[in-house]
Amino acid sequence: MSNFIELLKAAVFGVVEGITEWLPISSTGHMLLLNQFLTMDVSTDFWDMFLVVIQLGAILAVCVIFFHQLNPFAPSKSGYEKRQTWTLWGKTIVACVPAAIIGIPLDDWMEEHLGSPFVIAAALIVYGIAFIVIENIREKTASRSLPGVGNGTLRAAPKHFAVSASTAEIATRSELADEGARVQTIEELDWKTAIGIGIFQVLSMVPGTSRSGSTIIGGLILGCSRTVAAEFTFYLAIPVMAGASALRLVKFFLKGNIFTGAETAILLTGCAVAFFVSLVCIRFLMGFVRKHDFKPFGWYRIVLGIAVIAYFGARMVL
């Protein structure tokens, strides 16, 4: 019975991982916060490893959904398209170098010193505000750059936005912000921009920041459309999360640990659930950003950050 309960807990963590890994709201932050209320009956070493390796399920979902785009050997691709795919892999790997150089040496220090709920809450709020500010700036810039927009006259909104005058205005400005982006497709993403996004990825080392959040913010600032910023974030996740998982597994085994049968079942359950939930979440996000901006995620982060501060602040007082 106890093993079944632990499997249910692993499934819950898998659901949270599958949702929060791809939405820019911090997977690690949510996992650490969930652990405050739902603690697994496992060793500290296993938990530290589980928290990272469960991401392998989420990675597999990216590989499945974007298999054609990432497969340089696809028979249906022309020679040019295959070279483009290899170039995309090159940009992805190079963009991961900054995080590897800085992240690997500081991994243990970050885990030890920056895992408190208040650090997580601060990161949630700061980057939530950043999303809102960046999106507002993009929309205002796009509105000023096009005739008939920004002076009280708006273009006709797309059909799926034609609900009310206020809704149409918001939708149109959101759409214009992406129309004015310098990088409209993954193929247009140059090496300099890819490396720049990789540098922003370093920010995600602080729990609560969100790896997808930091890279999406970087992509938006550097001139990418929301779709490109989100898609490249998914690609970056493959080497970064695979490397982080391998590192945690090595540390786990170097300490003399081995998987018990129960631990193996817990890890596989968490990864499997994270995989299936990620399939849904990735498709949702790609559809969402084609029609909407990231401000709802910014507001969510702010509200959650304030709630975390209030909760843990009250616990300290009481």
Side-chain angles (χ1 to χ4, degrees):
M1 182 64 179
S2 61
N3 287 341
F4 178 71
I5 292 176
E6 294 308 309
L7 290 178
L8 287 178
K9 291 179 182 178
V12 173
F13 278 101
V15 171
V16 173
E17 165 63 24
I19 294 173
T20 61
E21 185 61 53
W22 307 116
L23 303 184
I25 54 177
S26 176
S27 62
T28 302
H30 279 76
M31 297 283 274
L32 292 174
L33 292 173
L34 177 61
N35 189 48
Q36 298 289 326
F37 306 96
L38 185 68
T39 303
M40 296 179 65
D41 186 18
V42 295
S43 67
T44 301
D45 286 343
F46 180 84
W47 166 249
D48 291 339
M49 179 275 300
F50 175 85
L51 186 64
V52 176
V53 178
I54 193 177
Q55 297 173 344
L56 289 175
I59 297 172
L60 183 58
V62 174
C63 296
V64 169
I65 292 176
F66 295 101
F67 181 76
H68 180 74
Q69 292 92 321
L70 294 171
N71 181 16
F73 305 106
S76 60
K77 288 185 176 180
S78 65
Y80 172 78
E81 290 173 328
K82 291 178 180 179
R83 289 192 295 274
Q84 286 289 95
T85 304
W86 281 117
T87 300
L88 174 60
W89 272 109
K91 293 173 184 176
T92 300
I93 298 299
V94 169
C96 292
V97 171
I101 292 176
I102 299 175
I104 293 177
L106 295 179
D107 182 59
D108 291 334
W109 186 91
M110 288 285 185
E111 181 181 345
E112 181 179 352
H113 294 87
L114 297 180
S116 78
F118 296 104
V119 172
I120 294 172
L124 285 168
I125 293 171
V126 168
Y127 288 95
I129 295 172
F131 267 115
I132 295 169
V133 170
I134 290 169
E135 287 286 23
N136 283 337
I137 291 174
R138 293 175 79 239
E139 290 171 9
K140 289 179 181 178
T141 301
S143 296
R144 288 195 299 264
S145 65
L146 294 176
V149 179
N151 58 3
T153 304
L154 293 168
R155 302 177 311 158
K159 291 182 180 179
H160 52 266
F161 285 129
V163 179
S164 66
S166 59
T167 303
E169 180 176 346
I170 294 172
T172 304
R173 288 178 177 172
S174 175
E175 183 187 35
L176 287 176
D178 258 13
E179 287 185 0
R182 176 177 57 85
V183 182
Q184 293 288 338
T185 65
I186 284 292
E187 290 72 25
E188 294 177 4
L189 184 71
D190 56 47
W191 289 86
K192 182 179 178 180
T193 304
I195 294 172
I197 294 174
I199 293 174
F200 273 92
Q201 186 171 228
V202 176
L203 299 173
S204 66
M205 292 174 58
V206 179
T209 299
S210 169
R211 190 199 60 80
S212 61
S214 61
T215 52
I216 287 173
I217 284 176
L220 296 179
I221 291 176
L222 295 174
C224 297
S225 69
R226 298 183 188 100
T227 301
V228 172
E231 187 174 340
F232 193 60
T233 287
F234 298 147
Y235 298 157
L236 284 178
I238 298 175
V240 168
M241 292 161 62
S245 298
L247 180 62
R248 286 304 176 98
L249 284 170
V250 169
K251 288 181 178 180
F252 180 78
F253 292 124
L254 286 179
K255 290 182 179 181
N257 297 303
I258 57 172
F259 288 141
T260 64
E263 289 174 339
T264 301
I266 288 171
L267 184 60
L268 290 177
T269 298
C271 287
V273 173
F275 167 73
F276 288 109
V277 174
S278 290
L279 289 176
V280 177
C281 191
I282 291 171
R283 290 191 173 99
F284 161 77
L285 183 61
M286 292 306 293
F288 181 89
V289 298
R290 291 188 182 99
K291 304 175 183 179
H292 307 87
D293 57 36
F294 287 105
K295 282 186 279 189
F297 299 112
W299 287 114
Y300 171 83
R301 292 177 65 106
I302 293 171
V303 172
L304 179 61
I306 293 173
V308 169
I309 292 173
Y311 175 79
F312 286 97
R315 284 185 55 176
M316 291 179 63
V317 173
L318 301 175

